[in-house]
Amino acid sequence: MALSVGLGLGMFLPKKLTAAKAAKPMIVHQVFFWLKQPKKDLKAVMKGCKDIGKLKSAHSYQVGIPAATAKRPVIDDSYHIALTVNFKSIEDHDIYQEDPIHLEFIEQHSDKWEKVQIYDFEVE
Amino acid sequence: MALSVGLGLGMFLPKKLTAAKAAKPMIVHQVFFWLKQPKKDLKAVMKGCKDIGKLKSAHSYQVGIPAATAKRPVIDDSYHIALTVNFKSIEDHDIYQEDPIHLEFIEQHSDKWEKVQIYDFEVE
């Protein structure tokens, strides 16, 4: 019994360690989209964001909408979609940019947004 | 053996589920700072960002600087510091905003920045 529970531990430890390491991505690609017709197009663009966030070159991703935090002059809540894509390296970011699925996302949806603002940062 | 491995699985499943849930914070508080004198003040403000990111109300945080991704018109790389603070709820975000250590950070450093831009979003 002790041995077999021990084997159970061994089965799970590597996954736990991987998750801990994965928690600190090196490059954060933070994108905000302002849509021309948010009521009409929000769902389709969000679905597209989720598809590109799942590309192999991406470490992890998040898709969101403005939060209901208190309004303040320093807060911009005029955008419609926030997409965060995390990469292990700039090389992975560059592969993502040129991925045919990413390029298809831009071709399919770029007429739906009036503005895109991107901030790329390197986590310390 | 099959039963005891089954017990091993049972021991770890709740932790795995907790970890999976924790990996997806609900509220992202994304802050960008433009400093008046980055060469002089970058380190001190980054240190302050790390201190407030560690507050109990915050789920997790990241501090970064502009990444060396290719320059494009849609990318703003003019800021000096990116601070991401993740919260489990808007309530936790509100506790963080009023935390004396957060207020002290603003009092100590706000004369060092010329602009702050914040985006709060709710992850789907």
Side-chain angles (χ1 to χ4, degrees):
Chain A
M1 173 74 181
L3 174 65
S4 53
V5 168
L7 283 172
L9 262 165
M11 282 168 63
F12 284 93
L13 268 177
K15 279 198 185 170
K16 282 166 70 78
L17 288 175
T18 305
K21 196 177 177 185
K24 205 171 181 181
M26 265 200 63
I27 304 292
V28 180
H29 177 61
Q30 181 60 58
V31 189
F32 298 98
F33 297 93
W34 283 258
L35 304 181
K36 293 174 188 165
Q37 299 185 70
K39 283 187 185 177
K40 181 175 166 282
D41 295 324
L42 189 79
K43 279 191 184 177
V45 182
M46 286 190 92
K47 168 73 170 61
C49 286
K50 288 173 188 175
D51 289 343
I52 55 173
K54 286 171 192 156
L55 288 176
K56 275 191 183 175
S57 49
H59 168 273
S60 53
Y61 78 100
Q62 290 177 318
V63 178
I65 56 172
T69 47
K71 287 185 181 292
R72 293 185 287 151
V74 288
I75 297 180
D76 186 346
D77 64 351
S78 64
Y79 64 96
H80 301 103
I81 300 172
L83 166 65
T84 315
V85 190
N86 302 307
F87 299 98
K88 286 185 183 167
S89 65
I90 288 188
E91 290 71 25
D92 283 356
H93 163 273
D94 294 348
I95 292 167
Y96 163 91
Q97 287 294 343
E98 296 304 320
D99 190 302
I101 294 173
H102 182 245
L103 298 174
E104 195 189 322
F105 165 82
I106 296 170
E107 199 182 309
Q108 276 196 346
H109 297 296
S110 60
D111 64 328
K112 298 185 180 76
W113 58 71
E114 61 182 6
K115 183 185 163 188
V116 174
Q117 181 69 63
I118 302 175
Y119 302 88
D120 288 335
F121 55 93
E122 189 184 311
V123 176
E124 278 240 321
Chain B
M1 174 75 181
L3 174 65
S4 52
V5 168
L7 283 171
L9 262 166
M11 281 169 66
F12 284 92
L13 267 179
K15 279 199 185 170
K16 283 168 67 77
L17 288 175
T18 306
K21 197 176 177 185
K24 206 171 182 182
M26 266 201 63
I27 304 293
V28 180
H29 177 61
Q30 181 60 59
V31 189
F32 297 99
F33 297 94
W34 284 258
L35 304 182
K36 293 174 188 166
Q37 299 185 71
K39 283 187 185 177
K40 181 175 166 280
D41 295 324
L42 189 79
K43 279 191 183 176
V45 181
M46 286 190 92
K47 168 73 170 61
C49 287
K50 288 174 188 176
D51 290 342
I52 56 173
K54 287 171 191 156
L55 288 175
K56 275 191 182 175
S57 49
H59 167 273
S60 53
Y61 78 101
Q62 290 177 318
V63 178
I65 55 172
T69 47
K71 287 186 181 291
R72 292 185 287 150
V74 287
I75 297 181
D76 186 347
D77 63 351
S78 64
Y79 64 96
H80 301 103
I81 301 171
L83 166 66
T84 315
V85 190
N86 303 306
F87 299 97
K88 286 184 182 167
S89 65
I90 288 188
E91 290 70 25
D92 283 355
H93 163 274
D94 294 347
I95 292 168
Y96 163 91
Q97 287 294 343
E98 295 304 319
D99 191 302
I101 294 172
H102 183 245
L103 298 175
E104 195 190 321
F105 165 81
I106 296 170
E107 199 182 309
Q108 275 195 349
H109 298 296
S110 61
D111 65 328
K112 299 186 180 75
W113 59 70
E114 62 182 7
K115 184 185 163 189
V116 174
Q117 181 69 64
I118 302 175
Y119 302 88
D120 289 335
F121 56 92
E122 188 183 313
V123 175
E124 276 240 321

